[in-house]
PDB file of all heavy atoms in Angstrom:
ATOM      1  N   HIS A 102      20.380 -31.759 -95.134  1.00  0.00           N
ATOM      2  CA  HIS A 102      21.710 -32.226 -94.766  1.00  0.00           C
ATOM      3  C   HIS A 102      21.830 -32.556 -93.279  1.00  0.00           C
ATOM      4  O   HIS A 102      22.802 -33.152 -92.848  1.00  0.00           O
ATOM      5  CB  HIS A 102      22.758 -31.179 -95.143  1.00  0.00           C
ATOM      6  CG  HIS A 102      22.778 -30.851 -96.600  1.00  0.00           C
ATOM      7  ND1 HIS A 102      23.104 -31.789 -97.554  1.00  0.00           N
ATOM      8  CD2 HIS A 102      22.491 -29.708 -97.271  1.00  0.00           C
ATOM      9  CE1 HIS A 102      23.024 -31.222 -98.773  1.00  0.00           C
ATOM     10  NE2 HIS A 102      22.640 -29.982 -98.608  1.00  0.00           N
ATOM     11  N   TRP A 103      20.854 -32.168 -92.493  1.00  0.00           N
ATOM     12  CA  TRP A 103      20.878 -32.451 -91.058  1.00  0.00           C
ATOM     13  C   TRP A 103      20.356 -33.866 -90.757  1.00  0.00           C
ATOM     14  O   TRP A 103      20.407 -34.296 -89.612  1.00  0.00           O
ATOM     15  CB  TRP A 103      20.062 -31.411 -90.292  1.00  0.00           C
ATOM     16  CG  TRP A 103      18.719 -31.109 -90.886  1.00  0.00           C
ATOM     17  CD1 TRP A 103      18.458 -30.192 -91.855  1.00  0.00           C
ATOM     18  CD2 TRP A 103      17.477 -31.725 -90.566  1.00  0.00           C
ATOM     19  NE1 TRP A 103      17.112 -30.208 -92.160  1.00  0.00           N
ATOM     20  CE2 TRP A 103      16.494 -31.129 -91.386  1.00  0.00           C
ATOM     21  CE3 TRP A 103      17.097 -32.726 -89.665  1.00  0.00           C
ATOM     22  CZ2 TRP A 103      15.150 -31.499 -91.325  1.00  0.00           C
ATOM     23  CZ3 TRP A 103      15.768 -33.087 -89.605  1.00  0.00           C
ATOM     24  CH2 TRP A 103      14.804 -32.481 -90.422  1.00  0.00           C
ATOM     25  N   LEU A 104      19.905 -34.581 -91.771  1.00  0.00           N
ATOM     26  CA  LEU A 104      19.554 -35.981 -91.585  1.00  0.00           C
ATOM     27  C   LEU A 104      20.830 -36.818 -91.623  1.00  0.00           C
ATOM     28  O   LEU A 104      21.657 -36.647 -92.517  1.00  0.00           O
ATOM     29  CB  LEU A 104      18.574 -36.443 -92.671  1.00  0.00           C
ATOM     30  CG  LEU A 104      17.203 -35.769 -92.680  1.00  0.00           C
ATOM     31  CD1 LEU A 104      16.362 -36.301 -93.835  1.00  0.00           C
ATOM     32  CD2 LEU A 104      16.476 -35.968 -91.360  1.00  0.00           C
ATOM     33  N   THR A 105      20.992 -37.714 -90.681  1.00  0.00           N
ATOM     34  CA  THR A 105      22.221 -38.494 -90.525  1.00  0.00           C
ATOM     35  C   THR A 105      21.916 -39.966 -90.753  1.00  0.00           C
ATOM     36  O   THR A 105      20.937 -40.491 -90.206  1.00  0.00           O
ATOM     37  CB  THR A 105      22.805 -38.307 -89.120  1.00  0.00           C
ATOM     38  OG1 THR A 105      22.965 -36.901 -88.856  1.00  0.00           O
ATOM     39  CG2 THR A 105      24.151 -38.991 -88.982  1.00  0.00           C
ATOM     40  N   ASN A 106      22.744 -40.633 -91.549  1.00  0.00           N
ATOM     41  CA  ASN A 106      22.454 -42.040 -91.875  1.00  0.00           C
ATOM     42  C   ASN A 106      22.941 -42.984 -90.764  1.00  0.00           C
ATOM     43  O   ASN A 106      23.745 -42.614 -89.908  1.00  0.00           O
ATOM     44  CB  ASN A 106      23.040 -42.429 -93.234  1.00  0.00           C
ATOM     45  CG  ASN A 106      24.549 -42.297 -93.277  1.00  0.00           C
ATOM     46  OD1 ASN A 106      25.266 -42.971 -92.535  1.00  0.00           O
ATOM     47  ND2 ASN A 106      25.050 -41.426 -94.139  1.00  0.00           N
ATOM     48  N   ASN A 107      22.433 -44.205 -90.815  1.00  0.00           N
ATOM     49  CA  ASN A 107      22.765 -45.206 -89.782  1.00  0.00           C
ATOM     50  C   ASN A 107      24.265 -45.491 -89.690  1.00  0.00           C
ATOM     51  O   ASN A 107      24.791 -45.753 -88.614  1.00  0.00           O
ATOM     52  CB  ASN A 107      22.013 -46.518 -90.074  1.00  0.00           C
ATOM     53  CG  ASN A 107      20.629 -46.525 -89.468  1.00  0.00           C
ATOM     54  OD1 ASN A 107      20.400 -45.947 -88.435  1.00  0.00           O
ATOM     55  ND2 ASN A 107      19.698 -47.196 -90.151  1.00  0.00           N
ATOM     56  N   LEU A 108      24.966 -45.439 -90.818  1.00  0.00           N
ATOM     57  CA  LEU A 108      26.400 -45.697 -90.802  1.00  0.00           C
ATOM     58  C   LEU A 108      27.122 -44.648 -89.961  1.00  0.00           C
ATOM     59  O   LEU A 108      27.949 -44.983 -89.101  1.00  0.00           O
ATOM     60  CB  LEU A 108      26.953 -45.716 -92.224  1.00  0.00           C
ATOM     61  CG  LEU A 108      28.487 -45.760 -92.349  1.00  0.00           C
ATOM     62  CD1 LEU A 108      29.051 -47.019 -91.680  1.00  0.00           C
ATOM     63  CD2 LEU A 108      28.913 -45.690 -93.811  1.00  0.00           C
ATOM     64  N   ASP A 109      26.829 -43.379 -90.213  1.00  0.00           N
ATOM     65  CA  ASP A 109      27.510 -42.311 -89.460  1.00  0.00           C
ATOM     66  C   ASP A 109      27.157 -42.372 -87.969  1.00  0.00           C
ATOM     67  O   ASP A 109      28.001 -42.097 -87.114  1.00  0.00           O
ATOM     68  CB  ASP A 109      27.120 -40.948 -90.029  1.00  0.00           C
ATOM     69  CG  ASP A 109      27.783 -40.675 -91.372  1.00  0.00           C
ATOM     70  OD1 ASP A 109      28.793 -41.342 -91.679  1.00  0.00           O
ATOM     71  OD2 ASP A 109      27.293 -39.815 -92.124  1.00  0.00           O
ATOM     72  N   ILE A 110      25.913 -42.742 -87.666  1.00  0.00           N
ATOM     73  CA  ILE A 110      25.532 -42.866 -86.262  1.00  0.00           C
ATOM     74  C   ILE A 110      26.290 -44.030 -85.614  1.00  0.00           C
ATOM     75  O   ILE A 110      26.761 -43.921 -84.469  1.00  0.00           O
ATOM     76  CB  ILE A 110      24.008 -43.051 -86.122  1.00  0.00           C
ATOM     77  CG1 ILE A 110      23.306 -41.742 -86.495  1.00  0.00           C
ATOM     78  CG2 ILE A 110      23.629 -43.494 -84.708  1.00  0.00           C
ATOM     79  CD1 ILE A 110      21.815 -41.802 -86.466  1.00  0.00           C
ATOM     80  N   CYS A 111      26.429 -45.122 -86.343  1.00  0.00           N
ATOM     81  CA  CYS A 111      27.210 -46.253 -85.833  1.00  0.00           C
ATOM     82  C   CYS A 111      28.649 -45.831 -85.541  1.00  0.00           C
ATOM     83  O   CYS A 111      29.189 -46.158 -84.474  1.00  0.00           O
ATOM     84  CB  CYS A 111      27.188 -47.400 -86.851  1.00  0.00           C
ATOM     85  SG  CYS A 111      28.308 -48.761 -86.459  1.00  0.00           S
ATOM     86  N   LEU A 112      29.263 -45.100 -86.455  1.00  0.00           N
ATOM     87  CA  LEU A 112      30.650 -44.675 -86.284  1.00  0.00           C
ATOM     88  C   LEU A 112      30.810 -43.730 -85.091  1.00  0.00           C
ATOM     89  O   LEU A 112      31.832 -43.767 -84.403  1.00  0.00           O
ATOM     90  CB  LEU A 112      31.154 -43.989 -87.554  1.00  0.00           C
ATOM     91  CG  LEU A 112      31.328 -44.899 -88.784  1.00  0.00           C
ATOM     92  CD1 LEU A 112      31.603 -44.067 -90.025  1.00  0.00           C
ATOM     93  CD2 LEU A 112      32.436 -45.910 -88.549  1.00  0.00           C
ATOM     94  N   GLU A 113      29.802 -42.906 -84.820  1.00  0.00           N
ATOM     95  CA  GLU A 113      29.873 -41.950 -83.720  1.00  0.00           C
ATOM     96  C   GLU A 113      29.560 -42.571 -82.371  1.00  0.00           C
ATOM     97  O   GLU A 113      29.977 -42.052 -81.338  1.00  0.00           O
ATOM     98  CB  GLU A 113      28.917 -40.771 -83.975  1.00  0.00           C
ATOM     99  CG  GLU A 113      29.413 -39.771 -84.997  1.00  0.00           C
ATOM    100  CD  GLU A 113      30.607 -38.970 -84.485  1.00  0.00           C
ATOM    101  OE1 GLU A 113      30.770 -38.846 -83.256  1.00  0.00           O
ATOM    102  OE2 GLU A 113      31.391 -38.470 -85.318  1.00  0.00           O
ATOM    103  N   THR A 114      28.811 -43.653 -82.359  1.00  0.00           N
ATOM    104  CA  THR A 114      28.341 -44.200 -81.081  1.00  0.00           C
ATOM    105  C   THR A 114      29.021 -45.518 -80.697  1.00  0.00           C
ATOM    106  O   THR A 114      28.735 -46.061 -79.621  1.00  0.00           O
ATOM    107  CB  THR A 114      26.818 -44.426 -81.125  1.00  0.00           C
ATOM    108  OG1 THR A 114      26.493 -45.281 -82.239  1.00  0.00           O
ATOM    109  CG2 THR A 114      26.089 -43.115 -81.273  1.00  0.00           C
ATOM    110  N   THR A 115      29.897 -46.027 -81.547  1.00  0.00           N
ATOM    111  CA  THR A 115      30.605 -47.281 -81.244  1.00  0.00           C
ATOM    112  C   THR A 115      32.095 -47.075 -81.477  1.00  0.00           C
ATOM    113  O   THR A 115      32.528 -46.011 -81.917  1.00  0.00           O
ATOM    114  CB  THR A 115      30.102 -48.433 -82.134  1.00  0.00           C
ATOM    115  OG1 THR A 115      30.537 -48.214 -83.478  1.00  0.00           O
ATOM    116  CG2 THR A 115      28.590 -48.540 -82.099  1.00  0.00           C
ATOM    117  N   ASN A 116      32.860 -48.100 -81.207  1.00  0.00           N
ATOM    118  CA  ASN A 116      34.305 -48.050 -81.453  1.00  0.00           C
ATOM    119  C   ASN A 116      34.681 -48.570 -82.839  1.00  0.00           C
ATOM    120  O   ASN A 116      35.866 -48.755 -83.126  1.00  0.00           O
ATOM    121  CB  ASN A 116      35.042 -48.869 -80.381  1.00  0.00           C
ATOM    122  CG  ASN A 116      34.927 -48.250 -79.005  1.00  0.00           C
ATOM    123  OD1 ASN A 116      34.973 -47.029 -78.870  1.00  0.00           O
ATOM    124  ND2 ASN A 116      34.775 -49.069 -77.983  1.00  0.00           N
ATOM    125  N   ARG A 117      33.711 -48.823 -83.653  1.00  0.00           N
ATOM    126  CA  ARG A 117      33.986 -49.344 -84.985  1.00  0.00           C
ATOM    127  C   ARG A 117      34.591 -48.248 -85.877  1.00  0.00           C
ATOM    128  O   ARG A 117      34.256 -47.058 -85.750  1.00  0.00           O
ATOM    129  CB  ARG A 117      32.724 -49.896 -85.631  1.00  0.00           C
ATOM    130  CG  ARG A 117      32.076 -51.018 -84.799  1.00  0.00           C
ATOM    131  CD  ARG A 117      30.839 -51.566 -85.465  1.00  0.00           C
ATOM    132  NE  ARG A 117      31.169 -52.388 -86.622  1.00  0.00           N
ATOM    133  CZ  ARG A 117      30.254 -53.033 -87.351  1.00  0.00           C
ATOM    134  NH1 ARG A 117      28.971 -52.943 -87.034  1.00  0.00           N
ATOM    135  NH2 ARG A 117      30.618 -53.784 -88.381  1.00  0.00           N
ATOM    136  N   LYS A 118      35.498 -48.633 -86.737  1.00  0.00           N
ATOM    137  CA  LYS A 118      36.152 -47.704 -87.645  1.00  0.00           C
ATOM    138  C   LYS A 118      35.591 -47.864 -89.045  1.00  0.00           C
ATOM    139  O   LYS A 118      35.145 -48.958 -89.438  1.00  0.00           O
ATOM    140  CB  LYS A 118      37.666 -47.951 -87.671  1.00  0.00           C
ATOM    141  CG  LYS A 118      38.340 -47.867 -86.316  1.00  0.00           C
ATOM    142  CD  LYS A 118      38.209 -46.471 -85.716  1.00  0.00           C
ATOM    143  CE  LYS A 118      38.935 -46.384 -84.378  1.00  0.00           C
ATOM    144  NZ  LYS A 118      38.780 -45.050 -83.755  1.00  0.00           N
ATOM    145  N   TYR A 119      35.644 -46.772 -89.804  1.00  0.00           N
ATOM    146  CA  TYR A 119      35.128 -46.821 -91.175  1.00  0.00           C
ATOM    147  C   TYR A 119      35.932 -47.819 -92.023  1.00  0.00           C
ATOM    148  O   TYR A 119      37.153 -47.844 -91.968  1.00  0.00           O
ATOM    149  CB  TYR A 119      35.166 -45.450 -91.834  1.00  0.00           C
ATOM    150  CG  TYR A 119      34.652 -45.476 -93.250  1.00  0.00           C
ATOM    151  CD1 TYR A 119      33.286 -45.365 -93.501  1.00  0.00           C
ATOM    152  CD2 TYR A 119      35.506 -45.664 -94.315  1.00  0.00           C
ATOM    153  CE1 TYR A 119      32.805 -45.403 -94.805  1.00  0.00           C
ATOM    154  CE2 TYR A 119      35.042 -45.706 -95.611  1.00  0.00           C
ATOM    155  CZ  TYR A 119      33.681 -45.587 -95.854  1.00  0.00           C
ATOM    156  OH  TYR A 119      33.211 -45.645 -97.141  1.00  0.00           O
ATOM    157  N   SER A 120      35.220 -48.607 -92.792  1.00  0.00           N
ATOM    158  CA  SER A 120      35.852 -49.531 -93.741  1.00  0.00           C
ATOM    159  C   SER A 120      34.850 -49.802 -94.858  1.00  0.00           C
ATOM    160  O   SER A 120      33.650 -49.549 -94.728  1.00  0.00           O
ATOM    161  CB  SER A 120      36.221 -50.848 -93.047  1.00  0.00           C
ATOM    162  OG  SER A 120      35.053 -51.542 -92.643  1.00  0.00           O
TER     163      SER A 120
END
Side-chain angles (χ1 to χ4, degrees):
H102 301 296
W103 46 274
L104 296 178
T105 306
N106 61 62
N107 273 327
L108 172 59
D109 287 340
I110 290 177
C111 171
L112 291 171
E113 283 291 336
T114 56
T115 70
N116 293 322
R117 302 181 73 178
K118 303 297 182 182
Y119 179 85
S120 67

